[in-house]
Amino acid sequence: MATTAARARSSVVAVIAAAVVIAVGCAPAPAPSAVEAFRTLGPLLPSPSVGASATPSAPTASSAPAPSSTLAPVGRLASEGTVALLSRGSDTLSLIDASGETVFASTAGIASLGFPAWSPDGAHVALTRDVQEGREIVVIDPTLQALAPASHTVVFQSATVVPFYLSWRPDSEAVSFLAQAGEALTLRLAPSDGSAPLDGSGPGSIVRQGNPFYYGWVGSDRLIAHIGTGPEAFLGEIGLDGEGPEGTLGAAGVFRSPAISADGMYEAVVRAGATAADGSTGPGSIVLLERGGEDVGSMPVIGAAAMAFDPSGTTLAAVGATEPTDVVGVTLGPIRLLDPGTDTPRVLLDGSVVSFWWSPDGTMIAAIRVETVDGAPEVRLVFVDVASGDILADPVIQPSQVFIEQVITYFDQYALSHRLWAPDSSSFLIPVLNEDGARVLAMTPEGEVLASMDGLVAFWSP
C-alpha cells in the first residue's frame, strides 16, 4: 500500500479491464489471451474515484435521510450484520442492516469520503474525509444518529499528511493508518476517542516509516510487517514502538501482506528464491511457519504471490503463478491450499485468479478469475466449496474501476481490515458497473443477487 505499489495496481487494472470493456460494449483489440487483452484495453475503462477532491471549499457534516431506493425489494441480505455503503459520489455513508433497512445515513456535503472500516467490536466506523483543512480521519458512532454531527469524532487531521488506508487495532480503541507525507510513508495510530493531538504529534502516534508498507495485527500490542522491497526489505514482527528483530522471517520474496492465523499460532510469508551465479533468481517459496518457531510447510511460487488464512482455522490459501509467465508484479495463477505440517498443496481453483476472499466460516472462497471464452476475455466471480472443490456459481461480472484499483489490487491487505462476506457467510458484496453506473451487489454463493445498492463500495460489519 504505497507509491511504489502503484505499478502493481496499474498492471492489475490492465489485466482485468479488457473483459469489463468488452462486457459494456467497447470493441476489443485482437488478443490471444485474456491477460494480453486486459493489458491492451485497460486505459479504456471509466475512472470513478474515491476521495477525488483534496480541498473542497465548504465542507459540511450532517445527518441525511435514508436513501429511499437503496435496495431492490428482494428480502434479507443476511441473518446478522450491517453493511457500510459509500455512495457513488463518495459523499454519503449509509449503514444498512441485515434486513435491508437503512439505519444510519450521514453526508459530507461536497467533501469526499474514503472507504469505511468497521471496528472489530462492530460499534464504530472509521473513514477518511477530505475537508478544507486537508484530510482527516473520522470515527462515527451509529447509535448517535439523532445527534449528528455529534456522532462524528475527528481523530486525525492534517493539510500535509494524507491518510489513505485504515485498519483498527484489535482492541477497537485505536485506528492504525498508512499516510503519505511527500516521499515518506508512515504507519500511525490515533485513539478512537479523539483524545490525542489531531495533527498526530502525540507520543506513540508514529509506529514506523517505510515504503511500501504492508502489515497485519498479531495482537493489540504487536504487528507483523513487510516493509520495503528487495534484499533490504524488513520482514518480521514489530511492537507499537516500531521496533523488532531484523530479518526474523527470512529474505522477502515478491508479495505484499504477511498473513497470520486467527489463533495467532501460524504466520505466512513469501521468501525470495536463491540467486544464481549469473544473477538470476529462482522461484520463491510461500512459507507457513509457527509463530516464533520453525517452518511447517511451503510451496514454490514464480513471481508475485498473495495469501490469507482460513478465518476459522489454520489452512493457508495463496494465489500465484506455478509456471513461468511474462506478467510482472501481479498475483495471477491458481488458488492453492496448504496446511501446517505438509509441503504438498492442494489446487482449489485453477486458471488465472487475481484475488480471493475466505468466507468467515471457512467453508467457501469467493475469487475473481480471468477467463477466455470463444476468444473473448471474461471476468468471473467464482464461489468455490473448500472441502470438495466444487464451483457453486461463477457469474460473469463487470468490476468497477475503484474495486479493481483499490481492493482487487491489494485484496490481501484489505482482507485483514475490510469484510466483503456477511458475518454468517450467506452473501458477498461485489462492486460492479452496469447500465445504471456503479452498483454494489449482495450475492449469495449460489449466484443469486439479493440486492443492488446504488453505491461505490460497501463492507460488512464483523
Side-chain angles (χ1 to χ4, degrees), residues 3-69:
T3 304
T4 302
R7 292 192 294 271
R9 179 174 62 247
S10 63
S11 297
V12 173
V13 173
V15 166
I16 295 177
V20 180
V21 171
I22 290 171
V24 298
C26 297
S33 69
V35 171
E36 193 60 43
F38 288 10
R39 287 189 193 141
T40 304
L41 297 178
L44 300 180
L45 195 66
S47 299
S49 63
V50 171
S53 173
T55 53
S57 56
T60 62
S62 62
S63 61
S68 59
S69 59

Side-chain angles (χ1 to χ4, degrees), residues 69-417:
S69 59
T70 299
L71 300 172
V74 288
R76 300 179 66 86
L77 299 178
S79 62
E80 59 180 322
T82 304
V83 171
L85 174 72
L86 183 64
S87 68
R88 190 183 302 183
S90 302
D91 61 353
T92 300
L93 174 72
S94 300
L95 302 185
I96 303 163
D97 67 15
S99 69
E101 179 182 354
T102 300
V103 295
F104 178 96
S106 180
T107 179
I110 65 170
S112 233
L113 303 175
F115 285 0
W118 285 96
S119 60
D121 62 8
H124 296 87
V125 178
L127 69 169
T128 61
R129 183 168 64 185
D130 289 342
V131 295
Q132 195 167 27
E133 295 82 4
R135 182 169 293 183
E136 61 187 20
I137 297 174
V138 179
V139 171
I140 294 176
D141 181 351
T143 65
L144 301 177
Q145 168 76 62
L147 303 177
S151 58
H152 300 62
T153 300
V154 177
V155 301
F156 178 82
Q157 184 182 88
S158 176
T160 58
V161 179
V162 184
F164 61 90
Y165 168 78
L166 311 182
S167 176
W168 283 81
R169 202 168 67 188
D171 60 8
S172 297
E173 294 184 358
V175 180
S176 70
F177 59 99
L178 293 175
Q180 195 83 37
E183 294 298 315
L185 181 69
T186 52
L187 173 62
R188 297 168 177 253
L189 277 172
S192 58
D193 60 3
S195 58
L198 297 187
D199 62 0
S201 61
S205 61
I206 297 179
V207 177
R208 188 156 170 161
Q209 179 174 312
N211 192 351
F213 202 128
Y214 301 97
Y215 70 101
W217 286 98
V218 177
S220 292
D221 61 345
R222 296 197 67 74
L223 308 96
I224 180 172
H226 175 203
I227 309 169
T229 59
E232 304 304 317
F234 172 86
L235 187 57
E237 289 190 19
I238 58 175
L240 298 185
D241 58 0
E243 296 300 320
E246 298 293 331
T248 56
L249 300 183
V254 184
F255 79 115
R256 295 180 297 259
S257 302
I260 185 161
S261 60
D263 61 9
M265 292 182 61
Y266 297 100
E267 297 170 328
V269 299
V270 178
R271 291 194 184 131
T275 301
D278 62 0
S280 62
T281 302
S285 297
I286 298 169
V287 180
L288 199 162
L289 61 156
E290 291 181 340
R291 185 182 170 209
E294 301 295 324
D295 295 0
V296 293
S298 68
M299 53 185 170
V301 66
I302 298 174
M307 59 213 163
F309 277 101
D310 169 6
S312 66
T314 57
T315 298
L316 181 73
V319 61
T322 56
E323 298 178 357
T325 174
D326 61 350
V327 179
V328 178
V330 177
T331 58
L332 190 70
I335 295 177
R336 292 177 290 165
L337 304 181
L338 186 67
D339 291 305
T342 178
D343 290 325
T344 306
R346 173 167 73 97
V347 176
L348 177 68
L349 184 63
D350 61 9
S352 298
V353 177
V354 295
S355 58
F356 67 87
W357 298 266
W358 283 95
S359 63
D361 63 10
T363 64
M364 296 170 288
I365 283 180
I368 303 293
R369 183 167 69 176
V370 177
E371 299 182 1
T372 301
V373 179
D374 296 328
E378 291 181 342
V379 176
R380 290 183 178 269
L381 174 60
V382 183
F383 293 96
V384 57
D385 181 88
V386 172
S388 66
D390 293 340
I391 292 178
L392 306 176
D394 62 344
V396 175
I397 62 167
Q398 304 164 29
S400 67
Q401 180 83 354
V402 166
F403 188 63
I404 293 171
E405 288 190 346
Q406 298 193 42
V407 181
I408 290 180
T409 301
Y410 304 109
F411 79 90
D412 45 343
Q413 181 70 66
Y414 274 104
L416 302 175
S417 55

